Amino acid sequence: MDARLPQHIAVIMDGNGRWAEQRGLPRSEGHRAGVDALRRLVRECRSLGIPRVTVYAFSKENWQRPETEIRFLFDLFLRFLREELPELMEQDIRLAFIGEEEDLPFPVRRALEYALRKTSGNRSLTLTLAISYSGREEILRAVRRAMRSGLAPAELTEQRFRGFLYEPGLPDPDLLIRTSGELRLSNFLLFQSAYTELYFIPVLWPDFQAAHLQEALDVYAGRVRRFGRTSEQLRP
Ligand code: FPP
């Protein structure tokens, strides 16, 4: 395994609205183009041998958007879950989910559960969708679950705590990419990104291409990850 190739990439797919506005199109067209960019990213990661991709599709805070946009987005998620399933199976891609499943409209929930079950044996790549997701909410929920579990406070190790998060098996992202030029995490994977390398790119999400991913991977490969140690300690 090439240590300079990230094993888990997290992506904040930002800029769909601006992409559409720049073209005089409704914001929904930006989201539609965003799905194409997501498809490209997943295919590219799979062919490069990156086994984990986690994308921020809808935050808890996004519920404050106009109802028509929310409805459009959930229609898009529903269509994605139904129409991409054959391709996910063919490409051996497992789907996973993080977020408040109870918040999702019933048809989306049903399609999601079906797709999760159907793809559960796939191994080439795991695509985790974050929908109605909030990093702070995930941590609070984990604390509540830990308290209810009856564990003594001293027994709550980091490893056990991870077991109470939305997807206990989710490894920490090695690289987090945010498009559109914004320089913040916006409540994404707060617990898991403690030592993640961050990469911000001014390109709007629908314009994100394989070449941009390669650029991010090159930058990542050049970074020294010390995890709190000195450079000297890292020398072989
Ligand atoms: C942020 O851009 C994007 C979103 C809130 C939606 C992300 C959804 C997709 C890319 C669709 C594909 C996802 C799946 C799972 C099928 P923005 O609307 O905030 O853009 P702006 O900042 O330019 O307004």
Side-chain angles (χ1 to χ4, degrees):
M1 187 174 79
D2 182 355
R4 290 172 313 159
L5 189 70
Q7 297 300 294
H8 180 193
I9 298 186
V11 185
I12 302 179
M13 309 180 287
D14 198 9
N16 294 348
R18 275 163 284 171
W19 183 90
E21 280 154 22
Q22 282 175 7
R23 286 164 176 73
L25 298 169
R27 292 175 59 82
S28 53
E29 287 307 311
H31 295 314
R32 219 194 292 275
V35 180
D36 297 335
L38 174 60
R39 206 179 289 117
R40 286 197 299 272
L41 171 81
V42 172
R43 280 200 196 129
E44 191 60 22
C45 286
R46 183 180 176 276
S47 68
L48 291 168
I50 296 166
R52 276 270 184 177
V53 177
T54 299
V55 294
Y56 208 3
F58 194 86
S59 70
K60 267 264 189 206
E61 291 73 25
N62 286 152
W63 287 109
Q64 297 166 59
R65 292 196 174 196
E67 207 188 310
T68 47
E69 183 168 347
I70 295 176
R71 195 163 316 145
F72 184 87
L73 277 168
F74 279 91
D75 274 352
L76 209 57
F77 299 154
L78 184 59
R79 228 167 322 132
F80 178 86
L81 291 166
R82 285 181 180 158
E83 291 170 12
E84 301 290 322
L85 197 51
E87 165 112 10
L88 294 173
M89 292 308 292
E90 198 183 310
Q91 303 241 342
D92 193 34
I93 293 170
R94 183 173 82 93
L95 213 59
F97 172 81
I98 53 175
E100 284 301 310
E101 207 186 316
E102 303 81 65
D103 290 350
L104 309 188
F106 184 67
V108 177
R109 211 169 150 174
R110 202 173 42 186
L112 174 70
E113 278 169 10
Y114 182 72
L116 293 176
R117 221 172 327 117
K118 191 95 177 136
T119 62
S120 63
N122 293 349
R123 290 288 171 266
S124 288
L125 181 146
T126 298
L127 171 65
T128 301
L129 303 178
I131 302 179
S132 197
Y133 176 86
S134 145
R136 284 186 178 167
E137 188 54 43
E138 178 176 37
I139 293 168
L140 278 172
R141 176 180 174 272
V143 171
R144 284 187 215 109
R145 295 177 77 203
M147 289 170 81
R148 270 201 301 270
S149 76
L151 265 183
E155 289 170 9
L156 186 61
T157 58
E158 184 182 316
Q159 224 32 55
R160 285 201 177 120
F161 186 76
R162 284 175 187 272
F164 295 110
L165 296 173
Y166 283 123
E167 195 195 347
L170 187 75
D172 292 344
D174 297 305
L175 173 66
L176 183 144
I177 299 173
R178 182 175 189 150
T179 56
S180 96
E182 310 288 353
L183 308 178
R184 33 173 196 275
L185 286 180
S186 298
N187 214 355
F188 192 38
L189 300 176
L190 295 185
F191 186 85
Q192 298 88 338
S193 59
Y195 278 98
T196 298
E197 294 297 324
L198 307 179
Y199 182 78
F200 299 100
I201 175 167
V203 165
L204 302 174
W205 175 247
D207 288 329
F208 192 83
Q209 307 288 340
H212 300 119
L213 175 67
Q214 195 49 58
E215 212 173 285
L217 296 176
D218 290 345
V219 169
Y220 175 84
R223 299 242 183 117
V224 181
R225 303 185 77 194
R226 294 206 304 272
F227 297 98
R229 286 162 295 175
T230 68
S231 312
E232 242 143 59
Q233 287 174 305
L234 294 176
R235 285 204 194 106

